Amino acid sequence: MMVVAMSNRNNCRSPMNISASMLDCTARKMKVIAHPLRLKLLCSLSDGELSVQDLVALTDASQSSISQHLGQLRDKGILQDNRVANRVYYRVCDKKIFEVIGMLRDIYCINSVTSPSL
């Protein structure tokens, strides 16, 4: 198993194995999640679909700010929305995003008390 992991890591480092469109897509998605409120929204949605009003209550941010950030995540294909009567509910399209967020947290946040910030 370690050999496979090392092999995958080496493939990722070689620009010859990744298409330009794949790199562009990945960079756009990483850029859109690279905001504290958008990360908080994604983490709030980790247990399932929530309405804008639910997310406002969980984040203490304004409804207009939440809606703007949710729209950006939806436009990049990270979230899907579902309108029911006068409420809009959001859910994460691909749960793999939580693996990415978890890895970034583990790498950059776990030891943030003892490590200098970037």
Side-chain angles (χ1 to χ4, degrees):
M1 179 123 169
M2 184 63 160
V3 174
V4 173
M6 293 298 287
S7 174
N8 287 341
R9 238 182 279 170
N10 290 337
N11 287 341
C12 185
R13 290 183 184 155
S14 173
M16 300 304 290
N17 295 329
I18 303 173
S19 70
S21 63
M22 191 182 236
L23 288 169
D24 184 57
C25 178
T26 302
R28 282 186 277 118
K29 289 190 180 195
M30 294 299 294
K31 184 177 178 180
V32 78
I33 68 168
H35 186 280
L37 182 54
R38 289 192 285 265
L39 282 171
K40 191 171 189 177
L41 291 170
L42 287 168
C43 290
S44 297
L45 291 165
S46 65
D47 290 329
E49 188 174 83
L50 291 173
S51 71
V52 174
Q53 292 81 1
D54 295 333
L55 291 164
V56 168
L58 289 170
T59 61
D60 293 326
S62 70
Q63 183 172 348
S64 62
S65 178
I66 296 286
S67 294
Q68 178 183 1
H69 288 288
L70 289 170
Q72 290 174 355
L73 290 164
R74 183 195 60 230
D75 292 346
K76 295 298 183 209
I78 294 170
L79 297 181
Q80 290 179 326
D81 62 352
N82 178 29
R83 187 173 298 274
V84 178
N86 65 343
R87 286 190 178 240
V88 180
Y89 293 85
Y90 285 87
R91 68 181 170 280
V92 174
C93 296
D94 187 349
K95 300 285 184 180
K96 290 179 190 172
I97 193 81
F98 299 119
E99 293 176 30
V100 172
I101 292 169
M103 285 190 300
L104 291 171
R105 183 197 63 232
D106 291 347
I107 294 167
Y108 296 112
C109 300
I110 297 298
N111 296 320
S112 64
V113 174
T114 58
S115 300
S117 61
L118 297 176

